[in-house]
Amino acid sequence: MKRTIFLSLLFFAAINTFSQSSNEEKVLQRVKQLNDAIFVNKDKTALEGLMADKVTYGHSTAKLEDRTMMIDGAVGSKQVYTNFIMDSATVFFERGKTAIVRHVLKAVSTLDGKETPLHLNVLQVWVKQKGQWKLMARQAVKL
């Protein structure tokens, strides 16, 4: 009896670990898609699909934007980003429907010929809505 209980617990722990690992990969893929849509492609359709309806998006300059402001700003931005690196990503989950992501973002922003290095610590909150991970909140701070 004890052996059956132990094996059952071991089985469920293995499933939970696999599930969390799979979810972590899915969330990190969404983070990459978000970064590409903002910094590389300036893709409005992709951004609309990645963000929750009531997203709050905080920049390292303390500027806060809602969904519409953020998408319009990203798509209409004249800044060009190069040398983009996302590093030190960590993900943890709360009740399987909320993911907290932290990562370091490095890039060079160029506007009107002036280069500005970016070195940011980024915090994102992703929620699972209708089977898809959506960005609910984002805040960046300068390092």
Side-chain angles (χ1 to χ4, degrees), residues 127-138:
V127 294
K128 201 164 200 179
Q129 296 179 339
K130 298 180 183 175
Q132 293 232 336
W133 289 102
K134 302 280 186 166
L135 181 69
M136 179 64 72
R138 185 256 198 193

Side-chain angles (χ1 to χ4, degrees), residues 44-108:
K44 182 176 183 174
T45 303
L47 289 170
E48 288 171 342
L50 290 163
M51 294 195 179
D53 290 338
K54 298 196 184 254
V55 70
T56 179
Y57 193 92
H59 294 269
S60 62
T61 60
K63 179 180 179 180
L64 291 176
E65 296 177 322
D66 64 17
R67 185 177 195 268
T68 301
M69 292 166 54
M70 185 278 156
I71 292 171
D72 290 347
V75 172
S77 174
K78 303 262 188 259
Q79 290 178 317
V80 175
Y81 297 92
T82 56
N83 302 334
F84 186 89
I85 298 171
M86 186 181 101
D87 195 17
S88 305
T90 60
V91 181
F92 70 89
F93 295 91
E94 179 63 29
R95 300 180 193 208
K97 293 187 177 185
T98 304
I100 310 300
V101 179
R102 287 188 174 273
H103 66 87
V104 173
L105 184 151
K106 295 178 185 178
V108 175

Side-chain angles (χ1 to χ4, degrees), residues 26-37:
K26 288 177 184 175
V27 169
L28 289 174
Q29 183 62 33
R30 298 292 276 184
V31 172
K32 182 183 179 328
Q33 291 170 352
L34 178 71
N35 288 335
D36 287 348

Side-chain angles (χ1 to χ4, degrees), residues 78-82 108-117:
K78 303 262 188 259
Q79 290 178 317
V80 175
Y81 297 92
T82 56
V108 175
S109 169
T110 304
L111 180 63
D112 297 329
K114 181 182 177 196
E115 290 186 350
T116 305

